[in-house]
Amino acid sequence: GLEACLMDTRLFNWKSQCLAPLPPLPEKGGEVRYGLIPEEFFQFLYPKTGVTGPYMLGTGLLLYLLSKEIYVVNHETVAAVCILSVIIYGVKKYGPAVAAFADKLNEEKVATALAVKNEAIKSLETAIEEEKKEQWRVEGCSYLFDAKRNNVAMSLETNYRERLLTVYNEVKKRLDYQVAMQNLKRQKEQDHMIQWVEKSVVQSITPQQQKESIAKCILDLKALSKSVQAAV
Amino acid sequence: MAGRRAAVKAIDWAAFAERVPPNQRAMFNALKTRNDALSARLAALPEKPPAIDWAHYKAAVAKAGMVDEFQKKFSALKVPEPVDTQTAKIDAQEKEAAKSTAEYVQASKARIAQYEQRLQTLRNMIPFEQMTFEDLHEAFPETTLDKEKYPFWPHRPIADL
């Protein structure tokens, strides 16, 4: 895992041609004690001197430097102590907050990039779907031409039937006209004849005949009234 | 007589309607109404007109020979069938349409292949945390900065920042 990556850091430098895929860069740097001394040093000394070994070494070295005045304590030492203590206090107190803030910034950048990628993937997928759908749609073009041909056939058929019907109607009209003409003529002739007969009959009634017929009518009426009186 | 009836093919209007894209709906509706109107007219007309009762007219009409003449001419009359001018055009149209649809389907398939390829590259991309700028330009070619066109930083028009 992490230690394998650390062991590999040397390989990055002397291999001229990188083999793909490179392992990703490690998330955190090497473990360090007191912010200064890497953990490997303690591990290195552990087999020989145990847990306290490096501390003894450190303390001894420090005392040696101070007592032999290889490191001289002067005003700069005081300044260094003050400055370093302030710096360490600041880092210890606000370090995590700043780190979180920086991480958040990075997170946002990565998140936008990821969003772009997902967006692209989704749009590509929908585009593929749409294309497939359009292909399916286009397959239905045979329907269109069938419908058109149907229309043509139907209109031809309709036209033909209309023509037949027209012929029939025309012929029938003419025949009916002849028949109606004949009927009308006969009726007119009949009416005319009846009128003429009536007129001639009326004309032929002479005054003499009228008197005679009226006298006959009176006689008949008298006879009738007698028979009626008798009946009553 | 039998040859004239070009068969009226049954059309599945529901399936047809499904395949119509929304921007061509109006045309489809016009076609359908026209089709419906024609079929209604067709259904209203009888296939053959009723037969004329020649015997009745022969007895009724006094003019000699008129009915016989009419009958002879009527049975001899051949009503011309309407000439079909459109079916050839429709067939030509259909061929053209078949060709253009084949082309469209080809182009569409090519596009789909392109999209599939891009999709694959995107899916197999390494995560952003492990990318360098070179890797980014590989995965998203549109992010590459054109150093020939804009040789000075920021290598793109200021408006695009």
Side-chain angles (χ1 to χ4, degrees):
Chain A
L2 204 54
E3 273 161 334
C5 295
L6 289 168
M7 294 307 160
D8 276 340
T9 45
R10 279 208 225 157
L11 288 172
F12 287 164
N13 291 333
W14 29 283
K15 278 224 171 99
S16 50
Q17 198 182 26
C18 58
L19 307 161
L22 285 178
L25 291 175
E27 184 76 16
K28 294 205 173 294
E31 281 285 307
V32 173
R33 276 203 216 187
Y34 303 108
L36 285 175
I37 308 141
E39 191 63 37
E40 282 81 13
F41 183 67
F42 291 84
Q43 298 305 322
F44 177 65
L45 289 181
Y46 180 75
K48 293 292 178 195
T49 56
V51 179
T52 49
Y55 292 105
M56 291 312 298
L57 179 60
T59 319
L61 260 179
L62 203 60
L63 287 176
Y64 167 67
L65 291 175
L66 284 170
S67 67
K68 289 284 192 181
E69 295 253 317
I70 296 174
Y71 177 70
V72 178
V73 175
N74 52 13
H75 60 285
E76 285 180 4
T77 315
V78 178
V81 165
C82 299
I83 292 171
L84 281 176
S85 60
V86 167
I87 289 176
I88 290 172
Y89 172 76
V91 166
K92 282 274 188 267
K93 185 114 189 268
Y94 302 108
V98 170
F101 172 71
D103 282 343
K104 195 156 67 80
L105 287 178
N106 212 20
E107 272 298 315
E108 278 167 15
K109 285 190 195 157
V110 166
T112 41
L114 256 180
V116 164
K117 173 190 165 195
N118 288 341
E119 194 58 47
I121 286 183
K122 231 192 319 236
S123 69
L124 280 173
E125 281 173 352
T126 43
I128 290 179
E129 285 300 316
E130 285 289 307
E131 289 283 333
K132 291 209 171 102
K133 191 145 181 236
E134 281 301 310
Q135 280 183 11
W136 174 76
R137 278 220 170 109
V138 144
E139 282 168 17
C141 93
S142 65
Y143 283 125
L144 171 67
F145 291 104
D146 284 341
K148 280 191 170 182
R149 275 193 282 260
N150 273 3
N151 276 5
V152 166
M154 279 200 288
S155 58
L156 286 176
E157 180 68 18
T158 317
N159 203 341
Y160 183 70
R161 287 189 193 175
E162 272 176 4
R163 288 182 187 180
L164 286 176
L165 204 60
T166 321
V167 163
Y168 165 77
N169 281 341
E170 283 297 309
V171 170
K172 195 154 192 307
K173 257 196 315 194
R174 274 163 223 233
L175 288 171
D176 284 341
Y177 171 73
Q178 290 296 325
V179 171
M181 267 281 286
Q182 276 174 211
N183 288 346
L184 182 69
K185 199 158 161 209
R186 179 158 305 163
Q187 190 161 359
K188 285 287 172 218
E189 283 174 356
Q190 271 183 340
D191 287 342
H192 185 255
M193 190 168 286
I194 289 172
Q195 261 189 334
W196 184 82
V197 165
E198 276 181 1
K199 204 163 69 167
S200 59
V201 163
V202 166
Q203 269 182 344
S204 71
I205 299 178
T206 57
Q208 176 63 13
Q209 268 183 329
Q210 225 172 350
K211 256 196 231 162
E212 279 180 15
S213 60
I214 286 177
K216 184 114 190 347
C217 285
I218 292 174
L219 277 174
D220 282 336
L221 277 170
K222 279 199 185 143
L224 272 170
S225 67
K226 273 199 199 128
S227 62
V228 165
Q229 272 182 348
V232 169
Chain B
M1 209 58 148
R4 73 168 154 94
R5 190 78 55 79
V8 174
K9 210 158 150 201
I11 294 184
D12 188 358
W13 286 100
F16 188 9
E18 267 183 357
R19 297 197 193 224
V20 171
N23 60 342
Q24 293 176 1
R25 271 258 144 220
M27 301 200 302
F28 169 74
N29 286 339
L31 181 71
K32 185 150 200 297
T33 43
R34 204 171 331 133
N35 194 311
D36 290 340
L38 277 173
S39 52
R41 263 177 70 195
L42 188 65
L45 288 172
E47 189 180 324
K48 281 193 182 356
I52 297 184
D53 191 359
W54 295 110
H56 168 251
Y57 283 114
K58 247 188 250 196
V61 176
K63 214 181 276 184
M66 182 191 229
V67 176
D68 288 328
E69 208 183 304
F70 270 41
Q71 187 177 9
K72 206 167 42 161
K73 291 221 178 110
F74 183 73
S75 33
L77 177 69
K78 194 159 169 11
V79 179
E81 293 168 15
V83 175
D84 185 0
T85 51
Q86 301 298 328
T87 311
K89 283 192 212 160
I90 291 182
D91 285 335
Q93 264 185 4
E94 184 171 16
K95 278 201 188 46
E96 266 187 45
K99 208 157 36 117
S100 67
T101 49
E103 278 175 19
Y104 179 77
V105 165
Q106 277 296 85
S108 173
K109 287 206 168 96
R111 276 196 291 268
I112 287 186
Q114 248 185 0
Y115 294 156
E116 285 282 345
Q117 223 181 20
R118 184 94 179 104
L119 209 56
Q120 280 304 98
T121 45
L122 280 181
R123 288 217 176 103
N124 297 343
M125 198 179 74
I126 59 179
F128 287 104
E129 294 90 355
Q130 298 172 15
M131 267 194 196
T132 65
F133 268 104
E134 278 175 8
D135 295 330
L136 177 67
H137 297 330
E138 238 177 70
F140 293 95
E142 54 265 19
T143 52
T144 48
L145 294 174
D146 193 351
K147 299 232 167 112
E148 274 97 53
K149 194 166 173 211
Y150 304 102
F152 300 112
W153 184 87
H155 305 294
R156 48 184 167 155
I158 303 282
D160 278 358
L161 279 176

